[in-house]
Structure formats: structure tokens, C-alpha cells
């Protein structure tokens, strides 16, 4: 039982490049989330999903897109990366009592 | 809209001393409350949670938090800290509405000194 996994762990992008972050969970959770963590700001919700095929915007959705084609996977896409998207990205899933977090992806946009 | 305020960005404390990390929230509805801990270069781990019932909740490693509805607080306490408790601690609130979303505080870095 791996819990929540994220790939890649680290990535450096140039401004304007695109990439996709993959989150996978093996706990059969319906709800999944993408957060970004910036110093002094805690975690902020980017997008979330309440089930396969559904997505919704969180607090800071601009510049990101998501897809939930399979229940166990939640993808976060950056179509045209900007330096302001330099951050640590965390994925989470929930059984409605607590959220389980992945190890994070550290993204730097130069 | 909900919000969470962690009143201290950093708390330095000597080993074996008591500590309190403060958390206040605002919400117009009933809430679930959580404390998560993040060790350096790792993800977040659940430390303890309040869902219902007893307002005093405890973790397996000696932390406890008390839900105070009248003061809208959920402060985290430990009577005697260890070096290994050095980490960043996040308070979070869920209003249990659509999506079961969490709103996090800015975090408190606990530094335990020997």
C-alpha cells in the first residue's frame, strides 16, 4: 500500500514551457486535491476533484489545469510556466475524515 | 469563507519545556479541525483531528489540542518537547461542505533547542 505518490520529485522549467505532474493513490478515495506550498503562506488549494471525471477550482486555479480520467490518478498541468509558479506542489486524497498527502514535487521556473 | 490564523510564525523552545502553538479559525458553520506536521523536505502528516465528541484530542506522541467553540480556537500543546519535535506545524479547518476542502494556516515552525 503506497498511499499517495507523486511524480516527478523535482523539475526545473524555463518560462513558457509546459509540464504535467502526476498524482496516484491506491486507497480508492473519491476526493483528490492539488495544493501549492509557499513560504509563510501555508498550503493553498489549486484544484480538486470529488470523483472520476469531475474537477473544480480551488483558491488559486489560474495558470493550472487538471484532469481526473481515472479514479486513482489526478493530473496537474501547467500550459505555460511562469516564475510565479515556482513552488512545492502537494497532492492529497481523502476518505472524508482526513487528507493523506504525497511527498511533494519541487518545481522551479526560471 | 473560512480562514485560519496561526499567531506565531516561529516558536523556539528548550528541550523538555512545555509548548503551545496557537490556532484560531473563523467559520459560520460547524467545522472539522486538524493539526498536520511537516518535517524538513517531507509531505504533511496528520498529527491529530477533531471531528466530533470530546473537545480534547490527543496524538500518540504526546501532543494534545482542545477545541474551544466559543473562542474559535484549536491550540496545540505538549508538556515536554523533544529535539525530534522540531518541524513545521499547520492548523487546518474543513467546513464539511462540497469537496470537503481544507483551509490551512500559514504554519508555525517549532524549533527545539538542547
Amino acid at each position: 500500500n503506497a498511499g499517495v505518490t507523486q511524480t516527478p520529485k523535482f523539475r526545473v522549467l524555463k518560462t513558457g514551457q509546459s509540464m504535467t505532474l502526476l498524482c496516484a493513490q491506491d486507497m480508492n478515495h473519491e476526493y483528490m486535491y492539488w495544493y501549492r506550498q509557499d513560504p509563510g503562506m501555508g498550503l493553498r488549494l489549486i484544484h480538486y476533484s470529488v470523483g472520476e471525471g469531475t474537477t473544480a477550482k480551488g483558491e488559486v486555479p489560474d495558470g493550472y489545469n487538471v484532469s481526473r480520467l481515472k479514479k486513482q490518478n489526478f493530473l496537474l498541468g501547467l500550459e505555460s510556466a511562469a516564475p510565479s509558479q515556482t513552488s512545492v506542489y502537494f497532492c492529497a486524497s481523502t476518505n472524508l475524515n482526513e487528507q493523506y498527502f504525497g511527498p511533494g514535487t519541487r518545481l522551479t521556473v526560471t | 469563507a473560512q480562514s485560519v490564523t496561526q499567531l506565531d510564525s516561529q516558536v523556539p523552545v528548550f528541550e523538555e519545556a512545555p509548548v503551545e502553538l496557537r490556532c484560531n479559525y473563523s467559520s459560520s458553520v460547524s467545522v472539522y479541525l486538524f493539526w498536520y506536521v511537516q518535517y524538513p523536505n517531507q509531505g504533511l502528516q496528520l498529527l491529530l483531528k477533531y471531528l466530533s465528541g470530546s473537545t480534547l484530542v490527543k496524538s500518540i506522541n504526546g501532543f494534545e489540542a482542545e477545541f474551544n467553540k466559543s473562542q474559535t480556537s484549536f491550540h496545540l500543546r505538549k508538556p515536554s518537547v523533544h529535539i525530534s519535535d522540531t518541524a513545521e506545524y499547520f492548523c487546518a479547518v474543513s467546513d464539511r461542505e462540497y469537496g470537503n476542502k481544507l483551509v490551512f494556516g500559514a504554519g508555525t515552525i517549532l524549533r527545539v533547542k538542547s
Side-chain angles (χ1 to χ4, degrees):
Chain A
N1 189 334
V4 180
T5 58
Q6 294 182 231
T7 53
K9 289 184 168 51
F10 303 94
R11 186 72 186 268
V12 178
L13 288 179
K14 294 184 177 180
T15 297
Q17 288 184 319
S18 63
M19 76 164 295
T20 300
L21 283 67
L22 171 63
C23 175
Q25 53 96 4
D26 60 3
M27 297 174 281
N28 202 36
H29 289 165
E30 291 289 343
Y31 291 22
M32 297 186 72
Y33 310 83
W34 275 107
Y35 296 90
R36 59 178 289 172
Q37 182 181 23
D38 302 292
M41 303 186 75
L43 278 75
R44 293 179 293 167
L45 183 65
I46 304 171
H47 286 280
Y48 64 101
S49 168
V50 299
E52 182 178 322
T54 70
T55 63
K57 294 180 180 180
E59 180 186 355
V60 288
D62 294 342
Y64 306 95
N65 56 74
V66 288
S67 63
R68 184 97 181 271
L69 300 180
K70 294 183 179 180
K71 185 177 183 178
Q72 64 269 32
N73 295 336
F74 195 28
L75 278 63
L76 178 71
L78 287 73
E79 291 186 348
S80 180
S84 60
Q85 295 177 303
T86 292
S87 187
V88 181
Y89 292 85
F90 287 100
C91 175
S93 68
T94 184
N95 60 3
L96 299 185
N97 283 333
E98 68 177 269
Q99 290 193 12
Y100 297 82
F101 285 82
T105 295
R106 187 173 295 275
L107 175 66
T108 301
V109 183
T110 61
Chain B
Q2 305 164 87
S3 65
V4 177
T5 302
Q6 291 184 243
L7 295 163
D8 304 294
S9 59
Q10 293 197 38
V11 174
V13 62
F14 284 103
E15 195 172 18
E16 298 185 5
V19 71
E20 178 181 81
L21 306 184
R22 296 177 292 170
C23 172
N24 288 91
Y25 70 93
S26 67
S27 177
S28 59
V29 298
S30 296
V31 297
Y32 292 156
L33 293 159
F34 305 84
W35 276 99
Y36 282 86
V37 58
Q38 184 179 35
Y39 298 102
N41 299 312
Q42 294 188 25
L44 277 73
Q45 303 172 29
L46 181 68
L47 187 60
L48 44 76
K49 61 187 176 186
Y50 169 78
L51 304 180
S52 64
S54 173
T55 57
L56 182 65
V57 291
K58 299 183 179 183
S59 72
I60 59 173
N61 58 352
F63 283 95
E64 63 179 38
E66 186 157 21
F67 169 52
N68 187 319
K69 188 175 181 179
S70 62
Q71 297 188 4
T72 60
S73 68
F74 191 54
H75 301 331
L76 181 69
R77 302 182 181 94
K78 190 172 185 180
S80 175
V81 295
H82 303 287
I83 294 288
S84 60
D85 293 325
T86 295
E88 189 162 17
Y89 293 79
F90 293 94
C91 182
V93 61
S94 169
D95 63 6
R96 302 186 282 180
E97 292 186 348
Y98 182 80
N100 209 48
K101 303 180 294 296
L102 287 179
V103 174
F104 285 86
T108 298
I109 297 173
L110 175 63
R111 297 189 192 279
V112 182
K113 302 177 289 185
S114 60

